[in-house]
């Protein structure tokens, strides 16, 4: 009889730490936006999505600039992880100036 954890081990061995973290943070962000749609969260879905888009874009741009300055390779998963962490930590912008 095979060990029941073999299937789980095979799945996890094929998944990188970056991908697993990115998927988990994406799930939390989707949950936050979904909860705001049904008025469980105080923030509007529009402000959450605008904040996430702004954070993602600014992280991408700053990563591209600094990777060129120090001649380092760009890791797009790491950039997205950073933007999701900031999205989940910071309150969303409620105005255009807040973005």
């Amino acid at each position: 009889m095979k060990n029941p954890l073999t299937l789980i081990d095979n799945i996890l061995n094929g998944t990188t730490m970056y991908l697993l973290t990115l998927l988990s943070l994406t799930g939390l962000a989707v949950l936050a936006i979904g909860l705001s749609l049904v008025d469980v969260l105080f923030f509007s879905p529009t402000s959450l999505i605008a904040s996430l888009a702004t954070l993602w874009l600014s992280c991408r741009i700053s990563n591209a600039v600094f990777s060129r300055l120090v001649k380092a390779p760009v890791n797009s998963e790491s950039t997205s992880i950073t933007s999701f962490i900031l999205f989940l930590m910071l309150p969303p912008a409620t105005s255009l100036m807040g973005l």
Side-chain angles (χ1 to χ4, degrees):
M1 185 164 145
K2 280 189 165 184
N3 185 355
L5 295 178
T6 305
L7 176 65
I8 295 171
D9 283 341
N10 290 338
I11 292 170
L12 291 177
N13 287 338
T15 305
T16 64
M17 175 192 62
Y18 283 107
L19 180 61
L20 189 61
T21 304
L22 184 59
L23 291 175
S24 299
L25 291 171
T26 302
L28 288 173
V30 168
L31 179 65
I33 293 168
L35 289 175
S36 71
L37 282 170
V38 294
D39 290 331
V40 173
L41 292 180
F42 174 73
F43 304 110
S44 72
T46 308
S47 66
L48 289 174
I49 293 170
S51 294
L52 180 58
T54 304
L55 284 168
W56 183 81
L57 187 62
S58 62
C59 285
R60 286 285 178 158
I61 291 170
S62 64
N63 188 19
V65 168
F66 286 116
S67 67
R68 281 187 181 247
L69 286 175
V70 297
K71 296 180 175 73
V74 175
N75 186 346
S76 61
E77 288 175 332
S78 179
T79 305
S80 296
I81 288 170
T82 302
S83 63
F84 277 112
I85 289 172
L86 290 172
F87 168 73
L88 293 168
M89 287 176 49
L90 299 173
T94 56
S95 67
L96 192 57
M97 285 299 291
L99 288 174

